[in-house]
Amino acid sequence: MKTTRQQQDATRRQIVASAVDLMTRQGFDGTTMKDIARAAGIGDATIYKYFPTKDRIVLGYLDDVAHQALADTLQTPGFAGYALQEKLQRLTDAVLERLLADREFVAQVRGLARRSPLSMLAEPLAARQSLREAVASFLEAAEASGEIEPCDFKGLAGGLYTDYLAGVVTYWLADTSDEFADTTQLVDLSLGVLVQALRGGLVNRVLQLGGFVLRSQMARMVQHGSGLMGMLHMAQQAMASAPMDRAPAHTAAAASSTASQPSESPRKPSKTGKPRQPRVTLKAASPAPAAKPAATPRKRKSA
């Protein structure tokens, strides 16, 4: 009997879920395709119709997480009215929220990528293109509203965001701070610096001198180190105090106000689907416009 598309999708999800459970308990090398097929309740040969190797199951998991996180982001009430930094923060939070329950498995995936990078990159993720297009659309909306200067590298920025996201996940996996507060601070500061640079057109000029530096240095930048947070603070303050003649007056004033506020304890990623207000101070943000829901305290599940 021919299976329907819905049945095929359900079987695929069951295979991925079974693989995540088994690999978390037994390890990647200690789990076989036969083990996964039996745990998923399908025949030993049937599993190969969906995934030819264990590596492809892992990629399928990552693909699903990215698509689900993007859907969660775009379905956030009032999302179209968010500022650029809010949109990028919400998307980054959504990915971490989806990964949280499987953090131990994600750590194994990271180790597998380091051990066999070619096997993990042989087949590009469909979700990577979706993320690239989403970030490009965020930039287009910010440019159209006058929030940032005209941006000549929207497609490239979308690709760089996926590299940035991989770096954030790596940092998060090594984060031992309470409720991943260090990761939250890293995301807030790094995206704040990026948006301030876009407001003054700085990124366009930097990329003309060699945008490849950002990609090649990403792996080193996301490593835990005492100087990383301080460097981001300094960059944010420097750009906030620099003249931005072409930036909208209300935007420049908001950036200056944000940079002058003291830093407090970081916020944790959203578990409620509501946006985090972009800021360096980490108290509850002032009431947002009516188009956005008010931020509420959020709790994390234990890792």
Side-chain angles (χ1 to χ4, degrees), residues 223-238:
Q223 298 300 318
H224 281 265
S226 59
L228 177 57
M229 296 301 182
M231 184 173 62
L232 289 171
H233 275 298
M234 290 174 61
Q236 187 177 56
Q237 291 170 0

Side-chain angles (χ1 to χ4, degrees), residues 164-232:
Y164 165 82
L165 192 58
V168 169
V169 171
T170 299
Y171 189 94
W172 171 71
L173 288 172
D175 188 358
T176 58
S177 62
D178 183 39
E179 296 184 318
F180 312 117
D182 287 349
T183 299
T184 300
Q185 187 177 31
L186 173 70
V187 172
D188 288 350
L189 287 171
S190 57
L191 291 180
V193 167
L194 172 63
V195 171
Q196 287 186 22
L198 289 170
R199 284 171 179 159
L202 176 62
V203 179
N204 271 336
R205 294 192 289 273
V206 170
L207 285 180
Q208 289 172 1
L209 298 175
F212 68 91
V213 175
L214 180 61
R215 183 187 297 269
S216 64
Q217 295 300 313
M218 178 57 69
R220 182 173 63 85
M221 289 290 292
V222 299
Q223 298 300 318
H224 281 265
S226 59
L228 177 57
M229 296 301 182
M231 184 173 62
L232 289 171

Side-chain angles (χ1 to χ4, degrees), residues 261-292:
Q261 296 175 3
S263 176
E264 299 179 9
S265 63
R267 294 172 295 119
K268 53 191 174 183
S270 167
K271 291 297 294 176
T272 62
K274 298 184 179 179
R276 299 183 304 170
Q277 297 297 325
R279 54 209 160 93
V280 175
T281 59
L282 298 164
K283 294 180 180 179
S286 56
K292 306 176 187 178

Side-chain angles (χ1 to χ4, degrees), residues 20-97:
V20 169
D21 179 62
L22 288 173
M23 291 180 188
T24 300
R25 292 187 285 108
Q26 302 174 182
F28 179 85
D29 293 332
T31 302
T32 66
M33 291 289 279
K34 181 178 292 187
D35 293 336
I36 298 170
R38 292 180 178 178
I42 61 176
D44 294 349
T46 303
I47 191 172
Y48 292 98
K49 296 179 181 179
Y50 293 88
F51 298 101
T53 65
K54 290 188 294 182
D55 289 350
R56 291 298 168 266
I57 298 179
V58 171
L59 289 175
Y61 167 81
L62 297 175
D63 214 29
D64 289 347
V65 165
H67 276 123
Q68 291 164 0
L70 182 57
D72 293 343
T73 299
L74 298 178
Q75 291 169 8
T76 302
F79 182 78
Y82 294 169
L84 177 60
Q85 185 174 344
E86 290 176 291
K87 289 179 177 179
L88 293 173
Q89 284 177 331
R90 176 67 191 112
L91 179 55
T92 305
D93 280 352
V95 172
L96 294 179
E97 289 164 9

